[in-house]
Amino acid sequence: MLLSREKFCYAFYDEKLGYVRDRRTEKQNANVAMSMTANRLVVLFVFVSGIAVAVIGTLLSQYIRGFLKYLPDHDYRHVFIPLPTEGELNVYDEGTLDLALPRTELRHQLEIENSATSTAEALTSLYLALEMKLSGKQKKAIKLFQHAVALAPRHPDILNHYGEFLEHTQNDVIKANEYYVRALSFQPNHEGALINSQRTARVVEELDRRMLRRIDEKRNTLSTIPDNNAALIRAKKEAYFQHIYHTVGIEGNTMNLAQTRAIVETRTAVAGKSIDEHNEILGLDAAMKYINATLVNRMGSISIKDILEIHMRVLGHVDPVRGGQFRRTQVYVGGHVPPGPGDIHYLMEEFALWLNSERAIRMHPVRYAALAHYKLVHIHPFSDGNGRTSRLLMNMILMQAGYPPVIIHKQHRHTYYENLQIANTGDVRPFVRFIAECTEQTLDLFLWATSEFSRQVPALSQDTLFTERRDTIVLEDDMATDSVTNAFDTG
């Protein structure tokens, strides 16, 4: 059917208009596609640029960090920041290690240099001391020898020369022998120290036996005094308070003797003192009463349970949770690193076997008690209270043999710890001698307090202890000593 002219024009217009619309749509779509492509390129460029910047920044940071390693005149430390959030705690900061390691190496190098400097200065002091010795200037020589030993305590030549000086000019054979043995512990094949040690060994052994016989005589004299003697009862009570006072004082307790006595007798608090200091005194009092009531008069072996019972009371007021329990963590005691917690049970079983062995029981009671003290404190089985428990075990052994409990004065804590440290190097004799001297001093104080039953013995003040007497204790003494069981209580 033919369209009219007007309708044909409308149809043609509509067709043309549709064609124009289609063309516009195609252009718009093309523009949109081009825009999207451009945007993708921009995003891709930005992403690639970010990666490149990050890589370049990392490389540059490592280069700068490596360069800073070699600048010794500056101290590059991280600024302390608050604890990060929980999600950031697992971040591993390698930069910290990179900066710390060179400083550790530098510190180690400085320690080596300082050690070498100290050794050189010590040798110079040694040569000057030998010159003073030849010149007859003994006082100056002693100071120079002591300075040399303080600077280089492990140098075998210095130790050997000082021992020779003590032996030949000071007539102190015992102390000289200790230095010879110490030199051999650091250099076993040192010819001079070996000859000197062998030469003085017999003299030392004879002096050991003399001192032990003297201690036994004083113990026997004290045992003849009736238990109901008023002077002896007063002496025991006073010694009880002094024992607590000095024992906790060695560990740093600041209570004086009067305050210690007041706490034990009245259980009242002392103003200005910490709760722990009060509880240390109460704990030691409880442990001593337990020993007096049960262990001293009991015949038979000493068990691990006995040691745990003592410790439970020592630490019971301070830390009831850890009292009577072996430690579960590693501890460090000055220069001594005790065995790990995993070895404690085995070592304590070995210690108990030694405590009850015939060889140990046949030792002189003083040596047996001192070695028991040292072995237990060396194992360090508890997180706290090891020293107090070891001293109580030592005194329990002494009391079972008829000796009064040894009072180690807090004024001599330096000598006490020094001898323990020497024992860790392999020579336990100085520590045994120290305990023997404390034992004799305690006996002297008891005999002085009850002088009507013996010859007059002048009271030994704490300041004069060990200044005039230089005797020793034999290491291998198989003499069986008859023991008199005598509980030491407050009466």
Side-chain angles (χ1 to χ4, degrees):
M1 182 178 179
L2 295 177
L3 297 173
S4 64
R5 179 181 179 88
E6 185 177 356
K7 290 182 176 180
F8 177 81
C9 289
Y10 280 119
F12 176 78
Y13 177 78
D14 291 337
E15 183 179 354
K16 187 174 182 180
L17 183 60
Y19 173 77
V20 172
R21 288 175 177 171
D22 291 339
R23 291 289 295 174
R24 287 180 178 176
T25 301
E26 289 177 2
K27 287 183 179 181
Q28 290 176 353
N29 291 338
N31 290 335
V32 171
M34 290 179 65
S35 177
M36 292 178 64
T37 301
N39 290 338
R40 290 194 184 98
L41 290 175
V42 171
V43 171
L44 181 61
F45 176 78
V46 171
F47 179 76
V48 173
S49 300
I51 294 177
V53 170
V55 172
I56 293 172
T58 301
L59 295 176
L60 183 61
S61 175
Q62 292 179 354
Y63 172 78
I64 294 174
R65 189 179 296 119
F67 176 74
L68 292 178
K69 291 180 181 180
Y70 304 100
L71 296 180
D73 296 330
H74 295 81
D75 186 10
Y76 296 95
R77 290 176 291 187
H78 291 285
V79 177
F80 180 81
I81 58 174
L83 186 68
T85 59
E86 186 176 356
E88 298 174 331
L89 290 178
N90 294 325
V91 176
Y92 188 77
D93 184 7
E94 294 181 352
T96 303
L97 295 179
D98 288 341
L99 288 173
L101 287 177
R103 294 194 59 77
T104 302
E105 294 171 0
L106 178 61
R107 188 179 297 108
H108 179 64
Q109 182 64 30
L110 290 175
E111 289 176 356
I112 295 176
E113 293 176 359
N114 291 335
S115 177
T117 303
S118 297
T119 302
E121 184 179 349
L123 290 174
T124 301
S125 182
L126 172 64
Y127 298 146
L128 292 174
L130 293 174
E131 290 181 3
M132 294 297 104
K133 175 185 174 182
L134 293 176
S135 303
K137 300 177 181 178
Q138 307 300 338
K139 292 183 178 180
K140 291 184 177 180
I142 289 176
K143 293 181 179 180
L144 289 168
F145 273 120
Q146 292 175 345
H147 182 63
V149 172
L151 289 173
R154 295 172 175 266
H155 199 290
D157 291 333
I158 295 175
L159 296 173
N160 182 60
H161 280 296
Y162 186 36
E164 292 175 344
F165 174 80
L166 292 172
E167 179 185 359
H168 300 300
T169 65
Q170 304 298 306
N171 296 320
D172 195 343
V173 181
I174 293 91
K175 200 66 179 178
N177 181 264
E178 291 179 8
Y179 278 98
Y180 298 149
V181 173
R182 199 182 307 180
L184 291 173
S185 67
F186 299 120
Q187 186 177 335
N189 60 347
H190 192 282
E191 184 177 357
L194 187 61
I195 295 173
N196 290 330
S197 175
Q198 292 174 348
R199 186 187 68 256
T200 56
R202 291 186 178 181
V203 178
V204 170
E205 290 177 3
E206 179 57 30
L207 291 173
D208 286 341
R209 292 185 174 87
R210 289 181 186 178
M211 186 176 189
L212 290 175
R213 286 195 294 267
R214 186 170 64 246
I215 290 175
D216 287 342
E217 290 173 359
K218 293 180 180 181
R219 187 274 313 268
N220 294 337
T221 302
L222 183 63
S223 66
T224 62
I225 302 175
D227 291 337
N228 60 355
N229 176 267
L232 181 60
I233 293 174
R234 285 194 301 270
K236 284 184 176 182
K237 189 171 184 178
E238 180 62 26
Y240 186 88
F241 295 125
Q242 288 212 19
H243 183 266
I244 295 177
Y245 162 66
H246 288 290
T247 298
V248 297
I250 289 175
E251 308 294 338
N253 194 297
T254 62
M255 295 282 188
N256 60 35
L257 181 58
Q259 292 168 337
T260 301
R261 182 194 298 270
I263 292 171
V264 173
E265 289 184 328
T266 67
R267 294 298 198 267
T268 56
V270 176
K273 300 296 182 179
S274 68
I275 296 176
D276 282 349
E277 287 185 311
H278 288 79
N279 288 334
E280 287 171 358
I281 293 172
L282 295 175
L284 197 65
D285 175 48
M288 291 176 67
K289 287 179 177 176
Y290 169 75
I291 291 174
N292 292 333
T294 59
L295 301 181
V296 170
N297 293 311
R298 191 190 71 186
M299 302 301 293
S301 61
I302 303 172
S303 66
I304 295 178
K305 184 177 181 297
D306 295 331
I307 299 173
L308 292 176
E309 289 288 343
I310 294 172
H311 182 262
M312 181 176 66
R313 287 160 176 81
V314 167
L315 218 63
H317 289 77
V318 178
D319 192 345
V321 175
R322 293 188 296 177
Q325 301 291 328
F326 292 140
R327 59 180 167 87
R328 296 181 176 86
T329 58
Q330 181 63 53
V331 295
Y332 303 91
V333 188
H336 171 56
V337 181
D343 298 326
I344 291 177
H345 285 275
Y346 167 75
L347 292 173
M348 287 300 294
E349 290 175 357
E350 290 291 315
F351 175 60
L353 289 175
W354 176 84
L355 270 178
N356 301 294
S357 66
E358 183 179 356
R359 181 173 181 272
I361 295 173
R362 284 176 58 85
M363 294 177 184
H364 189 280
V366 172
R367 178 174 177 255
Y368 175 38
L371 289 178
H373 175 305
Y374 169 69
K375 287 177 178 289
L376 182 59
V377 82
H378 183 80
I379 298 172
H380 223 76
F382 308 110
S383 57
D384 188 21
N386 293 276
R388 281 163 282 171
T389 303
S390 299
R391 291 191 288 277
L392 287 171
L393 175 65
M394 173 185 70
N395 279 329
M396 183 191 76
I397 294 173
L398 288 173
M399 286 189 288
Q400 287 179 339
Y403 296 86
V406 168
I407 300 175
I408 302 176
H409 292 287
K410 60 183 290 186
Q411 289 86 344
H412 304 119
R413 65 190 302 272
H414 175 73
T415 305
Y416 170 67
Y417 286 123
E418 181 183 25
N419 287 322
L420 282 173
Q421 185 177 0
I422 293 174
N424 289 335
T425 65
D427 188 7
V428 75
R429 297 176 306 163
F431 179 71
V432 178
R433 292 164 188 159
F434 174 80
I435 298 301
E437 291 173 324
C438 291
T439 304
E440 186 169 15
Q441 186 216 22
T442 303
L443 285 165
D444 287 340
L445 292 174
F446 269 90
L447 292 175
W448 174 78
T450 57
S451 56
E452 60 184 292
F453 290 94
S454 65
R455 64 181 178 83
Q456 284 286 338
V457 179
L460 299 178
S461 67
Q462 298 170 358
D463 296 333
T464 60
L465 180 63
F466 311 145
T467 57
E468 299 179 356
R469 220 172 35 241
R470 288 304 313 171
D471 297 310
T472 121
I473 292 301
V474 157
L475 275 183
E476 296 299 332
D477 182 5
D478 293 328
M479 296 183 299
T481 304
D482 294 333
S483 299
V484 180
T485 303
N486 180 23
F488 179 73
D489 52 31
T490 61

